[in-house]
Every structure is written in C-alpha cells, then in structure tokens.
Amino acid sequence: MEQRYHPELVEPKWQAYWKKNQVFKVTEDSSKEKYYLLEMFPYPSGKIHIGHVRNYTIGDVVVRYKRMKGFNVIHPMGWDAFGMPAENAAIDNNTHPAAWTYDNIRAMREQLKRMGFSYDWDREIATCRPEYYKWEQWLFLKMLEKGMAYRKESYVNWCEKCQTVLANEQVEQDKCWRCSQTVHQKKLWQWFFKITDYARDLLVHCDELPGWPDKVTVMQKNWIGRSVGSELKFKIDGRNDDITVFTTRPDTVFGATFMCIAPEHPMVESLSKGTSKEAEVAAFVQKVSSQERSAEGLEKYEKEGVFTGAFCINPATLEKIPVYTANFVLMGYGTGAIMSVPAGDQRDFDFARKYGLEIRVVVQPEGENFDGNTMKEAYTGEGLMVNSGEFNGLDSKKAMDAITGWLEKKGRGKKTVSYRLRDWGISRQRYWGAPIPVIHCPDCGVVPVPEADLPIKLPEDANLLEKGGSPLPGLDYFAKATCPECGRKDAKRDTDTMDTFVESSWYYLRYCSPRYDGGMFDPEAVKYWAPVDQYIGGVEHAVLHLLYSRYFMRVLNTLGMIDFKEPFTRLLTQGMVCKETMTCPEHGYLYPEEAVRNDEGKLSCTRCKSHVEVGRVIKMSKSKKNVVDPNELLEKYGADVTRLFSLFAAPPERDLEWSEDGVEGSNRFVNRVFRLALECMEKFNNTMFATGAFTGSAFELESAKAKELYIKANQTIKKVTDDIDKSFHFNTAISAVMELVNALYAIDLDSADDELKKVILFSLENIILLLSPILPHFCEELFEKLGKKGSILEQPWPEYREDCLETDEVLVVVQVNGKLRSKFTIGAQTNEAKIKETALADKKIKKHIGDKDPKKVIIIRKKQTLVNIVV
RNA sequence: GCCGAAGUGGUGGAAUUGGUAGACACGCUAGACUUAGGAUCUAGUGCCGCGAGGCGUGGAGGUUCAAGUCCUCUCUUCGGUACCA
C-alpha cells in the first residue's frame, strides 16, 4: 500500500460532504451562545493571493475552533464590489465593469471554496447589487433628513484629462497615476457625512476597546487629533467685525505681532478690498489654489504670504497688527486663522524674519534673557512670562488659563477643543458606485428621492468613456429626472456616486439578514448576531475603514436602529504578506513568473530579455505585480498544506516576507501524521479501537513510558487550546502538535503493550482533533478512517486533565554565579533542603565552586526548578 | 519632525509573570534502506576552541543571585502622520 496522503482526492470529497450536509449554514438559535467572526471582505480583483489565504485561514481556524467549543458561529463572506479598478479594467479589456466584477467574483468564490473555508455561502453579498445599495441610499436619505449629511463646496484632487476626482493615494508626485497629467485642486459641490459630530465620542471610546491592538487605537486617536486650546477674537481695525483664531498657546498672545489667515479664508477678499494690496492678494490666492496641498506638495513650497492691507487689534496688547494671508495656514483646521507669535513658533519665526516683522519674546526659561533681534530660532517650550502686562513672572503653563479667562471676561476669548478630523466627503465623480439618491431641481433645489423610488439603479450597461470620467452625466435616461416636489421635467439627477467606504461601513450588519427586504437589516437578526466578536483584516485599514464603521454604528445607534456603538469587539490586524518587486526598463513592474534567471544567473525579463531590477520588499499588491497566486501551491500540495504553511510561517500579526522555502516541511508533517495513523490502524487490533483510548488519570498508568506520553498529550491539548484561544499564535500551536507527533514516532509500536497503545490512541485522536481547524479535509479523512461517524465538526474540542500536566520528576538546573553548570532530575515533591544538598554534591558543581564557600543559594521552583549558587 | 512597532543561528521563528536562549521547522552534514530518490528513517548542526572552556538576543551602560525580557542612552529597519497653530 502506498502510504501517502492524496489531497486531490480527499479535499473535493469533504468539500462535497460539507456542501451536501450544509454544515456551515447557520441560523439564530437562542439556546446557544453566538460568535460572529468576520474577515474583511475582498475587493474582487480577479484572483485571491497569498495575503487573502493567510487572512482567511486565520479566521477559518478560529471559526472551526469556536464551533467545536459549542458556539453558534456565523462566518460570512462577500464582495466589496464597487470601485475604480473595475472601470480601468473595463477600458483596458474592452469589457464592462459589471461583467468584469461578476466574472471575478465567480473565479474568486471558486478559489475560496477550494481552500475549504467554512463560509455560510447563503449569506454572500456583493455591494454592487441594487438589493444591497438600495439600503445604503435609504440610509443616506435618513441622514439627510436628520442633518447628518450635507452638501458644501470643497476642494478635490482633479485630473482634467480623465475628468475625474482622484483619491490622495491616486496622486503620484503631483501627477495622475493613470495619465500622468498634473493634478490640481478643484472646487466642487460635494456631499459630506458629519462624522465630526462624533469626534469626541469616537475618541473617548478608543480607550474602551480592549480587544483592539493599541497600535490601531493610537492611530485612530492621532487621526481624530484632539487639541485643547482657546479661540481668541481679534477685532478688525476700522471695522465692526472680528477674526477668530484658534491657538493651543493662549499664554503667548502678548507676543502675537501679526496674524495669518488661510488663502481660502472667506474674509481674505473683503480685507484686501479697496487697499493697495488687492491685486497682489488676489494673485497670491490664485497661485496658492493651484498648488498641490498633499504631503509631497508641501515640501516643495516655501512658506510665503502677502500682507492683506488690513490690520487687526491684538486683544491683549491692544496694538494694531498686520493681517497676512499665508500658504501654510490651513482652512480646514481650527478657524483657518492664526495669531502669529514668532518668538514661540518656528513657522511664525521664519515668516517674521522673511518679512521683517517684530519678534517679541513673551515666554522664556528661568534665567534666560532672549532677544527677539538676535534669536536664532523660536523658543517653543514653557517658562516664565515676560512682556505680558499683569501676567509677567507667571509660569507660562498657568498663564494659559489665566489669560484665556482674562480675555473671556472682556468677551474676547474662550477655552475650546479642536479636532483634526474632518467631515467625510463621500461624493465621487465616478461611474462604478452607488448613486447618490437626490435630484437637483431648478426651482426646488436639492430634493431627496422619495423612498418608494429606491433603489436608484446604476445603469449596468453604460459604456465607459475612452478618456475616463463618469458616463453618468451624459446618460439622459439616467441623468434627466422629474422633480418629485414640483414635477418639473428638466430636473437633474445627482450623477455622483458614493465613496466605496460607505458600502464597507455596514456590510457586516447586512450579513445578519442578507436577503431581508424590509430595511437595511432585520432588527431581530442583528440583535442576535451583532456586534462582530472577532474581526480580522489588514492593518492598512486601521484608520479609514475602521473609523467609518465605528461612525456608522453611532449613526444607526442615534437613529435608534441598533443598541450598540462599537461594531468590532475584538480586532486582529494581521501582518502584511510582502515580496520584492521586480521591474524591467521596458515593461515596468513584472510578475514573479516574468523574470527568469539567464545563463549568467542574472534575472531577465521573459519578454524583452532586458535586465530585471529587484526592488524593495513591499506588501503584495496587484498594481506592483509582486503577487503570489496560491494556485500553484494548491495544485502541488492541496488546500490543507497551504493553510498549514501560511500559519506556520509566522504569528498572524507579524509581517511576512513570502518565501516557499519550508512548505515541504509542512507537507512532510501532514504525511507523517498520515502514516502514523495508518500504522496504528495496521498494528493495533480491532479491540483496541472498540475499547477506545485511555482517558483516565495519569496515576492509573503502570508504565513510565505511557505516563510520560499521556502527560505530553495533555500538555499539547492545553498548549494548542491556549495558543488558539488567547493569542492566535497558530505557529506555536502547530509546533506543539509536531512535538507530540515526534514523541509518537520515537515509540516502537511493535513492542508497545496494550496500556501504551491506549495512550497512543488517545494521543492520535487528539492530534486529529487539534489539527482539524487547520487541516479540515485531512482530519475529516483520518477521523473517518479511524472508524468514527459523522463530521469532525460535530466533535467537541478536546479537554485536558488539569492533574495530568506534570510529571512526578522535575529537572533541576544548577547555576553557579548565574551560569549554567549542571542539571539533574529529582522527584517533584523533594524539599528545598534536599535539592540544595543534591546540587552542592554534584561533581560538576563542586568543580566550579572549588574550595570557596557558597555565599548564598537561591532556589526557584516556578515553571523551572533552578538552583543558583553564589560564591 | 512627531507617533507606533520591530531588531534573536545560514533562514522562518520559539522563550506567558526576569529563571536552561535558539522549541518547532527550513537548510546543511553524515549515515541507513533502496534499481533509483526531490520518498522515508537515524544522528549532528549558534559562534570560537583539539580540549577544558569562553563568547553570544542591533550597540553602549545600568539594576539584579539571575536580563532577549526591566531602566537610561544610542543605531538601524518598517508602518502611520505631516505646515494641526
């Protein structure tokens, strides 16, 4: 008999069995505790890659484990199906986004099924289906009604050639990633969700997410960016009007010798109007508006500004100070205006030096005597107040509240909190997305689509424009509409679509009742299943997707639709799977298989033979082509080995540089277990299987060998259980099972007595159960071969005996001055005096102590027994 | 610049609260079985040294009977963020 495991036969067999018996189909069951495990749903790009395999394997292991633990587990899968790649692919391949997307979904669904993941496929959703986005449109209308959604004019990255908005990450060095045209800022009317209303709540609850990695909550906190400060009012000279600034350093207000306002500030025009500076200011505003304001852009532009011609009054000194407009002041933060304190802020300092403005020291460390004329840089620290009237000599920290309070009494200021977080702009001038359900009427303005008209279906047959941009505005049958209010026939439908992050902000609720047509979700189903108990996905979504989801749950909570606020109780951010990139001068990025070693051992391009440059090791992504398709592994080793290997390579949260070295080891291990099981079946007589495995206490066992193995098996159960349950460290769980398997291999089955055989059987059965979440097909097969009935999924998770975790002999390690010198074993119950005596009598120890007297002997009896002799 | 994470054999990685550093694998070396081996099994494998022994967790200090683990400083890599007033 050939003793080899054949995944190509076994895996389809069990996949068919699971399907036929609908083992992964779940329904609400109030008698069982629910467990909602979710992996971030994929964008249907065409094929799954190793990163997906890793992500979904982690989830699947936990799901199968929790099932065996008796939970009613929901484990759904679906598709984040809207988005730009579909539009680009449609143009490139002369197809249609819908067709391309549905084809990809079909292909990827097959790949996932082939991996043996335990999804309840009846719950599958695709966000591009009208049945899904209908409810998103419905929610939009609700939010509009409640003032949670609004429209305003704002700047976006715009590519003129493609006629479209670009996300920040689609702008590469100021240029459009598709056509390399320079991107500029364009002002457009856009829809926004008022996420800032929840800034405080989102921030505060970051500290109440114990199941989230600190890394992620820290990133969210930084993103929300709370800072405490003051709003101070500066009267405009000669006008009965104020400019309000936000500052975190109200203590330095006496040093504010000028003011800067953002070029987009609504007052810029009126301030300069009628002054000699009017033209200059207008030109400057124009210039700044064409500047790129992303991170890369900022590096290139020097801080500069122009005097507006207007003055305002410093509320503390009552002096007239000039008002500048400057390119480094952001309209989107604070009030869009700052008081400039050159002595206390480096940017203001540089600006003052450049334009010859006064630098007045107001805070300096004790014992220092700064001079604004000779200072080399601003002093941003704390210290004692000077040049600040009645506050002189005060500690600057105390002066913050004191000065704010003083100005407040004069009606010139108040303490406030400012957030960095901005409202969420959701309009996209794109085709492949959910239409925004409003109509623009020349008479009535913005009119919501009546609920009964939902969904506003995206025309799936629209032809994409060769030059890019959305075809929707040009489609009369879509864009033309009748005003629901006044009946005017020439109203216009909003042809923007929603940001795809909107779909992913609530899909996990839809899974609870995916075919429900009475609302976004069936409240009863959500009450049972939600929130998600364990969410698993890439850390790249640490801020946006996870923040938007938290926001959405707050919106639904406010609307009274759900009774919780946090969507994901526990979060695992799995590390990225990385690989080096390869580029060729002719073809740019290459897929791994497009680079081969030539005769000289150098990498060359398969198409043009030119030299291939090996680039940095970065996260696998289709655009960089450094992706590994799991199909090859699947063909060669099957799903189980692929699963095992992806888990064994590293703990889940760690980044992983992909390499297939070592996959042989995983394959070898699976076959070792297989042969072990077969050998046992061959050599154990049938009665052994009939009477069953040993499950009693270790003390009942006669032979030391049996006892030792039995304890090892119990330890393994504990280790695997803890590793899966507490830390998701599957790599160490697997190595623990490997140790047990190695221990079994060390036993000669032919000479084993019945007692030992029963313990071997116990070990073997548990190995199969413990591995079953990781190697589901393989373990089902072995379980069946051992003569068990039904699916292994119906088995309870193994239990270990607390009293069988320790042997009655312990190893004592002996150190002299902290250095390991000897070891011996001794009865576990031996008292300390005896251990000490034995240690001191040890030959090697004697040699190291020599004739010196031990000063101190330390005995530790924790997980190790250790003796340290200090001489 | 700021925030965060990580640096351990040739490689992936172990080491739960300070207590045998290198589990488990990959790779490599030798041997066994075999017509054959990319199958399987056995033994070895941190570095230096013939040896006793010494040295070893990015680097430098420190605390401790004992430090990969705690403290101080520092270097490197990766991730996030960036004129945030």
Side-chain angles (χ1 to χ4, degrees):
Chain A
M1 176 171 66
E2 198 202 355
Q3 297 205 339
R4 225 189 135 67
Y5 167 61
H6 286 282
E8 69 280 10
L9 304 175
V10 170
E11 291 180 353
K13 169 183 162 185
W14 289 101
Q15 284 168 17
Y17 175 91
W18 297 331
K19 189 176 176 187
K20 183 173 161 237
N21 292 284
Q22 300 206 329
V23 289
F24 304 128
K25 192 179 168 74
V26 284
T27 49
E28 293 87 311
D29 176 353
S30 56
S31 71
K32 274 170 134 182
E33 196 178 339
K34 68 95 182 179
Y35 188 82
Y36 188 167
L37 187 135
L38 184 67
E39 299 118 24
M40 290 181 185
F41 67 165
Y43 179 79
S45 57
K47 286 178 183 173
I48 61 169
H49 62 69
I50 290 294
H52 293 118
V53 167
R54 190 179 187 208
N55 187 180
Y56 305 147
T57 301
I58 292 164
D60 199 48
V61 171
V62 177
V63 164
R64 289 171 179 270
Y65 165 76
K66 286 284 180 184
R67 283 181 64 117
M68 290 171 81
K69 277 282 197 180
F71 289 86
N72 191 26
V73 184
I74 183 170
H75 187 209
M77 178 45 75
W79 312 97
D80 190 11
F82 272 140
M84 220 166 37
E87 293 183 39
N88 298 325
I91 294 171
D92 292 346
N93 306 324
N94 197 26
T95 171
H96 191 277
W100 184 82
T101 302
Y102 293 133
D103 280 352
N104 288 347
I105 287 175
R106 211 169 302 126
M108 289 173 77
R109 188 195 295 122
E110 284 319 301
Q111 282 187 298
L112 293 181
K113 286 188 173 172
R114 203 172 159 195
M115 286 299 302
F117 297 136
S118 61
Y119 298 120
D120 178 357
W121 284 105
D122 289 350
R123 293 178 184 267
E124 178 183 359
I125 57 174
T127 57
C128 62
R129 297 275 188 196
E131 307 84 68
Y132 182 82
Y133 65 71
K134 171 182 179 179
W135 297 109
E136 189 163 305
Q137 293 173 334
W138 177 89
L139 181 67
F140 178 93
L141 295 176
K142 267 277 168 269
M143 291 173 72
L144 190 58
E145 184 191 315
K146 302 280 178 190
M148 296 164 143
Y150 67 97
R151 216 161 90 99
K152 76 171 178 198
E153 214 176 2
S154 91
Y155 286 94
V156 290
N157 298 312
W158 181 263
C159 173
E160 193 59 43
K161 199 168 168 192
C162 301
Q163 285 291 302
T164 192
V165 166
L166 298 172
N168 281 334
E169 57 274 18
Q170 291 152 358
V171 182
E172 296 171 346
Q173 274 112 43
D174 273 4
K175 307 247 193 290
C176 171
W177 69 301
R178 256 185 73 81
C179 70
S180 298
Q181 179 104 144
T182 303
V183 170
H184 68 274
Q185 300 295 302
K186 186 174 177 177
K187 218 172 187 185
L188 281 180
W189 280 94
Q190 306 246 66
W191 286 100
F192 286 84
F193 285 156
K194 255 184 140 175
I195 190 172
T196 51
D197 278 354
Y198 293 88
R200 195 190 138 80
D201 197 57
L202 287 165
L203 183 76
V204 168
H205 284 90
C206 280
D207 293 324
E208 288 163 40
L209 289 168
W212 283 38
D214 288 347
K215 175 168 122 166
V216 176
T217 47
V218 165
M219 276 161 82
Q220 294 221 344
K221 283 185 200 170
N222 290 341
W223 189 266
I224 296 166
R226 177 178 197 263
S227 52
V228 179
S230 302
E231 273 183 14
L232 305 179
K233 283 187 195 168
F234 285 58
K235 186 181 173 305
I236 300 168
D237 187 43
R239 274 168 62 170
N240 198 12
D241 207 354
D242 295 322
I243 298 176
T244 305
V245 302
F246 174 74
T247 179
T248 53
R249 292 295 301 272
D251 52 318
T252 64
V253 63
F254 283 86
T257 52
F258 59 102
M259 176 186 278
C260 287
I261 65 176
E264 307 95 319
H265 196 283
M267 280 184 172
V268 168
E269 206 188 328
S270 72
L271 285 174
S272 62
K273 202 165 180 101
T275 73
S276 60
K277 300 286 173 187
E278 192 173 345
E280 202 185 326
V281 170
F284 179 75
V285 170
Q286 180 59 38
K287 181 179 145 194
V288 173
S289 76
S290 67
Q291 285 178 353
E292 167 61 35
R293 306 211 93 186
S294 70
E296 294 85 19
L298 293 168
E299 301 268 311
K300 292 202 293 278
Y301 301 105
E302 203 186 328
K303 285 178 198 34
E304 56 179 353
V306 294
F307 177 42
T308 59
F311 292 85
C312 64
I313 310 297
N314 181 323
T317 61
L318 304 178
E319 287 168 339
K320 248 169 83 166
I321 60 171
V323 179
Y324 279 71
T325 178
N327 63 350
F328 68 92
V329 182
L330 305 175
M331 193 59 223
Y333 184 75
T335 60
I338 59 168
M339 62 175 205
S340 292
V341 184
D345 181 285
Q346 193 57 40
R347 289 159 306 179
D348 295 345
F349 184 90
D350 295 342
F351 197 87
R353 275 283 141 82
K354 182 167 177 172
Y355 296 104
L357 296 156
E358 188 194 347
I359 297 173
R360 183 186 302 160
V361 176
V362 283
V363 175
Q364 61 191 11
E366 206 172 345
E368 272 290 352
N369 197 6
F370 290 139
D371 177 355
N373 296 315
T374 55
M375 279 171 92
K376 291 276 180 288
E377 56 178 15
Y379 174 71
T380 56
E382 288 154 6
L384 295 180
M385 308 287 296
V386 289
N387 297 323
S388 299
E390 62 188 271
F391 301 97
N392 282 343
L394 196 65
D395 175 41
S396 65
K397 231 172 164 175
K398 288 183 185 142
M400 292 202 193
D401 280 350
I403 291 182
T404 304
W406 176 66
L407 289 174
E408 188 162 10
K409 274 192 210 124
K410 304 209 276 178
R412 296 276 90 193
K414 63 170 190 221
K415 201 166 172 176
T416 56
V417 173
S418 191
Y419 292 92
R420 201 187 78 107
L421 182 71
R422 305 194 199 167
D423 279 339
W424 175 13
I426 58 144
S427 297
R428 296 289 179 269
Q429 290 67 40
R430 297 234 148 255
Y431 162 68
W432 192 235
I436 294 173
V438 294
I439 288 166
H440 302 272
C441 168
D443 288 335
C444 313
V446 174
V447 182
V449 166
E451 212 179 299
D453 292 353
L454 297 182
I456 300 303
K457 280 195 189 170
L458 182 71
E460 293 205 351
D461 55 350
N463 286 316
L464 286 186
L465 311 171
E466 200 51 52
K467 61 182 170 72
S470 169
L472 294 176
L475 285 182
D476 283 353
Y477 69 91
F478 178 78
K480 281 192 175 165
T482 304
C483 174
E485 300 242 309
C486 69
R488 265 186 81 144
K489 300 283 185 219
D490 60 344
K492 226 186 115 281
R493 192 174 293 291
D494 200 314
T495 52
D496 283 353
T497 52
M498 288 191 245
D499 182 1
T500 55
F501 276 115
V502 181
E503 281 93 66
S504 55
S505 294
W506 68 283
Y507 74 106
Y508 42 91
L509 295 187
R510 186 69 188 166
Y511 279 142
C512 298
S513 52
R515 312 289 167 248
Y516 186 68
D517 62 2
M520 293 174 78
F521 47 81
D522 176 352
E524 287 306 308
V526 163
K527 206 178 171 77
Y528 180 78
W529 292 115
V532 173
D533 294 283
Q534 179 68 57
Y535 199 30
I536 305 172
V539 72
E540 63 271 25
H541 296 112
V543 176
L544 296 177
H545 163 58
L546 292 171
L547 189 66
Y548 293 149
S549 295
R550 295 181 63 215
Y551 162 61
F552 253 47
M553 293 308 102
R554 281 161 174 75
V555 168
L556 296 178
N557 182 272
T558 303
L559 294 174
M561 294 168 68
I562 55 173
D563 58 7
F564 57 92
K565 282 188 186 177
E566 290 297 342
F568 314 118
T569 308
R570 298 226 299 161
L571 174 70
L572 174 70
T573 48
Q574 117 254 10
M576 298 181 294
V577 180
C578 302
K579 194 167 169 58
E580 77 277 357
T581 50
M582 288 185 289
T583 49
C584 127
E586 184 96 5
H587 299 99
Y589 286 115
L590 300 180
Y591 286 109
E593 60 274 17
E594 290 176 320
V596 289
R597 298 222 172 263
N598 59 20
D599 301 338
E600 297 152 40
K602 289 195 176 137
L603 283 171
S604 68
C605 174
T606 47
R607 282 183 285 171
C608 65
K609 306 289 172 225
S610 50
H611 175 69
V612 170
E613 204 65 56
V614 176
R616 296 202 313 151
V617 176
I618 54 165
K619 175 184 145 63
M620 278 187 193
S621 82
K622 222 184 159 189
S623 62
K624 302 284 191 291
K625 299 195 175 176
N626 59 338
V627 286
V628 174
D629 186 329
N631 275 354
E632 209 176 298
L633 282 176
L634 279 169
E635 290 296 332
K636 203 163 167 194
Y637 302 104
D640 281 344
V641 170
T642 304
R643 292 165 61 115
L644 176 70
F645 180 57
S646 76
L647 294 177
F648 189 56
E653 68 279 6
R654 187 166 328 189
D655 286 346
L656 182 63
E657 186 182 339
W658 185 252
S659 151
E660 278 167 34
D661 297 345
V663 66
E664 282 292 346
S666 294
N667 190 46
R668 210 173 285 163
F669 171 67
V670 168
N671 277 292
R672 264 166 83 79
V673 177
F674 190 73
R675 284 196 309 274
L676 179 71
L678 259 51
E679 201 189 339
C680 286
M681 290 187 319
E682 199 181 304
K683 295 192 174 157
F684 291 10
N685 53 38
N686 288 332
T687 46
M688 188 65 62
F689 286 95
T691 45
F694 179 80
T695 55
S697 158
F699 303 108
E700 298 164 23
L701 292 165
E702 304 266 318
S703 79
K705 245 186 187 168
K707 204 181 274 184
E708 194 189 335
L709 178 65
Y710 190 62
I711 285 166
K712 178 90 186 163
N714 273 281
Q715 287 171 336
T716 305
I717 296 169
K718 178 171 164 53
K719 172 79 177 153
V720 173
T721 307
D722 288 353
D723 282 350
I724 294 181
D725 210 328
K726 297 193 178 121
S727 60
F728 295 163
H729 282 187
F730 311 105
N731 57 333
T732 51
I734 293 164
S735 71
V737 180
M738 286 175 167
E739 283 189 56
L740 182 57
V741 171
N742 290 346
L744 288 172
Y745 262 84
I747 296 170
D748 176 16
L749 286 186
D750 292 317
S751 64
D753 59 15
D754 275 7
E755 181 187 74
L756 184 55
K757 280 180 179 168
K758 282 187 175 184
V759 175
I760 291 171
L761 190 58
F762 172 81
S763 307
L764 181 65
E765 284 180 6
N766 280 300
I767 285 168
I768 293 167
L769 290 168
L770 293 173
L771 289 175
S772 69
I774 299 168
L775 308 169
H777 315 85
F778 174 79
C779 292
E780 289 273 25
E781 182 71 12
L782 284 187
F783 194 67
E784 187 188 60
K785 278 197 192 303
L786 288 183
K788 311 277 184 182
K789 293 275 169 281
S791 168
I792 205 164
L793 289 156
E794 293 149 18
Q795 293 297 309
W797 184 253
E799 300 274 346
Y800 57 88
R801 289 183 63 123
E802 205 60 65
D803 62 343
C804 299
L805 294 173
E806 269 154 50
T807 48
D808 38 22
E809 291 249 290
V810 291
L811 179 72
V812 181
V813 300
V814 189
Q815 301 177 329
V816 176
N817 288 337
K819 283 189 179 149
L820 178 72
R821 296 301 182 190
S822 186
K823 310 175 197 186
F824 57 86
T825 54
I826 203 163
Q829 305 308 316
T830 316
N831 65 30
E832 290 197 2
K834 177 75 182 161
I835 291 175
K836 181 175 167 182
E837 189 188 314
T838 316
L840 288 168
D842 187 282
K843 253 187 253 156
K844 287 189 212 155
I845 296 304
K846 271 187 167 163
K847 192 178 143 202
H848 276 95
I849 300 176
D851 49 6
K852 284 165 271 182
D853 271 342
K855 271 192 228 157
K856 204 169 171 188
V857 177
I858 291 151
I859 298 178
I860 303 294
R861 308 183 82 177
K862 285 197 264 183
K863 64 180 175 188
Q864 270 95 39
T865 303
L866 177 143
V867 179
N868 190 10
I869 299 159
V870 188
V871 295

